[in-house]
Amino acid sequence: MMPSFSENNLTLDTGRQVSFKHDIDKVVSFDNVVVVLLKMPSGVIFNENVFGVSLDGQIRWQIQSLLPDTEDSPHINIKRSANGLDTYNWSGLITRVDLKTGRIVDRRITK
């Protein structure tokens, strides 16, 4: 079963709910973590908009910061890959994320 979401609320398979400051755009589920991508409203600079949530409803990590707070380039997509989780940001950067910590373990430019 896949976790569900509505607006800024995530509902896990266990029935536990987790709320975020902004609306959820996408959820990708793995064995031990549910990865949440937040949709960033226009005018809000928040580039660390990917979170890892444990199956018991605890926010375990927030993606590692890559850019200064003044640069607006939030993540716009997350995907399961053969090696784990890939994220895509507005500037064309693809990152591979450690599912245990949220740290960036690899990055490459697509644009």
Side-chain angles (χ1 to χ4, degrees), residues 13-31:
D13 294 344
T14 59
R16 289 192 183 255
Q17 290 199 328
V18 182
S19 294
F20 293 89
K21 186 175 180 180
H22 300 286
D23 286 353
I24 298 170
D25 189 27
K26 187 173 182 179
V27 171
V28 177
S29 190
F30 292 87
D31 289 340

Side-chain angles (χ1 to χ4, degrees), residues 64-82:
Q64 175 185 355
S65 179
L66 287 174
L67 301 167
D69 291 342
T70 55
E71 193 170 331
D72 188 13
S73 186
H75 296 271
I76 55 172
N77 196 11
I78 54 176
K79 272 177 38 176
R80 179 191 295 267
S81 72

Side-chain angles (χ1 to χ4, degrees), residues 2-3 5 10 20 23-30 33-39 47-53 61 63 74-81 84-90 93-97 99 102 104:
M2 184 74 171
F5 64 91
L10 171 71
F20 293 89
D23 286 353
I24 298 170
D25 189 27
K26 187 173 182 179
V27 171
V28 177
S29 190
F30 292 87
V33 67
V34 175
V35 180
V36 176
L37 171 69
L38 300 184
K39 187 183 314 179
N47 298 324
E48 297 79 35
N49 60 322
V50 179
F51 293 84
V53 180
W61 53 260
I63 195 166
H75 296 271
I76 55 172
N77 196 11
I78 54 176
K79 272 177 38 176
R80 179 191 295 267
S81 72
L85 176 74
D86 288 343
T87 70
Y88 301 78
N89 79 359
W90 191 85
L93 186 65
I94 298 175
T95 59
R96 172 95 13 90
V97 178
L99 289 169
I104 305 296

